[in-house]
Amino acid sequence: MKKVIALMALVCVPSLLNAQAFEKGGNYIHAGFGVQPPSIGPISLGFEKGISNIVGIGRFGVGGVLAHEFYYYNLNYLGNAYVQNRTTLMGRCAYHFDFNIDKMDVYAGAGIGLQIRSYKNSLSIYPNPSVFGGIRYYFTDQFAVFAEVGYGLGYLSGGIVYRF
């Protein structure tokens, strides 16, 4: 029994201690929540794939994000208040810096997409550019948390990442 426990420790513990950062061929799914006053959200779901080996001091990844947010406007001086829904579909490209720090992934990038706004019975579609920078911290090879700052989806957002 002691040999089985020792063997399991030798197999499992190194995989927890040496979580890899971003790499070519990796698939990453994230779910997050952002802050962009006066909205509630955005709530986002995204995917990214590593597409390059080392280029300069990092690697490239491409993917997309689907986000939704609720804007509440209270126009006290007119006595009106309304809620507007915004759904964003965006393609993104990120550069993941290879700082050789275990469990950390620092990145920056840009994206372009469409924002669909609905208010009462009207629907509008607008282009939506985005720039962002972020960091991921890996607890295991498959699971991480992330924080991002930027413009386009939310000023500040965070959430979880699953790698497969």
Side-chain angles (χ1 to χ4, degrees):
M1 182 66 170
K2 289 180 184 179
K3 290 181 183 180
V4 171
I5 293 172
L7 180 61
M8 288 175 59
L10 286 173
V11 170
C12 295
V13 172
S15 68
L16 294 174
L17 296 176
N18 295 320
Q20 296 293 317
F22 195 82
E23 63 184 25
K24 180 181 180 179
N27 296 298
Y28 306 83
I29 294 176
H30 81 262
F33 184 80
V35 176
Q36 184 167 313
S39 74
I40 299 171
I43 299 166
S44 64
L45 181 63
F47 173 78
E48 186 175 14
K49 182 163 184 75
I51 62 166
S52 74
N53 289 318
I54 295 281
V55 176
I57 60 169
R59 295 174 173 87
F60 285 98
V62 296
V65 175
L66 176 64
H68 187 78
E69 57 194 310
F70 304 94
Y71 274 65
Y72 176 76
Y73 292 97
N74 187 0
L75 306 175
N76 286 333
Y77 60 94
L78 297 175
N80 297 336
Y82 68 90
V83 175
Q84 183 182 76
N85 293 297
R86 296 183 180 187
T87 302
T88 303
L89 183 59
M90 179 177 293
R92 300 187 347 160
C93 181
Y95 187 77
H96 296 260
F97 299 95
D98 190 6
F99 292 137
N100 208 14
I101 302 172
D102 286 343
K103 302 183 183 183
M104 298 292 257
D105 175 17
V106 178
Y107 58 94
I112 187 72
L114 295 175
Q115 187 175 84
I116 303 164
R117 297 179 187 177
S118 63
Y119 166 67
K120 291 187 178 179
N121 293 329
S122 67
L123 188 69
S124 305
I125 299 176
Y126 297 92
N128 188 26
S130 172
V131 293
F132 57 91
I135 188 167
R136 293 177 182 160
Y137 179 79
Y138 286 88
F139 292 104
T140 68
D141 282 342
Q142 288 80 30
F143 179 73
V145 293
F146 79 93
E148 257 183 32
V149 296
Y151 172 80
L153 281 178
Y155 300 132
L156 178 65
S157 60
I160 57 172
V161 178
Y162 178 74
R163 176 184 162 184
F164 59 99

